[in-house]
Every structure is written in C-alpha cells, then in structure tokens.
Amino acid sequence: QLTLVESGGGSVEAGGSLRLTCQVSAYTGTNYCMAWFRQAPGKEREAVAQLYTTGNLTYYADSVKGRFTISQDNAKNTLYLRMNSLKPEDSAMYYCAAAPVSCEYGMDYWGKGTLVTISS
C-alpha cells in the first residue's frame, strides 16, 4: 500500500515555472510506474508524464514535451515534475499516481492533488 502526497502547486504568470513534488511512502521493492496526471474543470483527466522507478521508459504528453520534466529521487521516495514555460492551459489540479510494474492497466494509488493556476 502506497500513500502519495503532492505539494508545490500555486499561482504563477504565464511563462513562469513550478516544481511539483510527490512524497511517496516506502516502496515495497516492486518496480513501479509513477505518473503525473492533471484535470482541468470540465475536462477529462489526462496523463502528463510518467516514468518507472527503475529509471527507464519516460513518457510525456505532446502538450508538455520540451517544457515539463519528470524525475525521481529514490533515496527520498520522491517524484518531481518540473514545469517550465507555463501556459494558461496548464492550469489544472495535478495528481501523482502509482501502479506496480506497469501503468498500462491503470493506476492503483493516487494522491489528493495540488492546484496549479497560470494567469495570462
């Protein structure tokens, strides 16, 4: 059982940067797929970025490629999402999620989210 706690959201102007942090309770030794999702009001939740705790196979949504970077510090059980060149359309609730072995079959663990608001 994992618990995920996000932080780092806030309000910034377009063009600015934020770094989101997801504190993960201790991994149980299994390789996990870790991901960031976001959901804006009235829109479906979308996957933004993902990676595996082994460090392999990162994924980015086309809308964030070149601007967002997902990374991890396994010694600290922490997942990050560095967001640069932010746009108003990046405004959303951002969620950290995890799944044992693969993201392909859905995420098993979710945080409560951190709100990101980008003003133009």
Side-chain angles (χ1 to χ4, degrees), residues 21-78:
T21 298
C22 175
Q23 185 65 52
V24 185
S25 62
Y27 293 113
T28 61
T30 302
N31 178 32
Y32 284 87
C33 178
M34 303 297 300
W36 288 97
F37 287 76
R38 68 185 181 186
Q39 187 167 22
K43 294 188 177 181
E44 293 187 356
R45 185 173 59 198
E46 63 170 338
V48 174
Q50 71 183 41
L51 57 65
Y52 285 82
T53 51
T54 55
N56 299 325
L57 299 177
T58 56
Y59 157 86
Y60 293 97
D62 288 344
S63 58
V64 306
K65 281 181 182 176
R67 301 188 298 121
F68 290 13
T69 303
I70 188 171
S71 63
Q72 61 186 341
D73 184 337
N74 285 343
K76 297 182 179 179
N77 291 338
T78 304

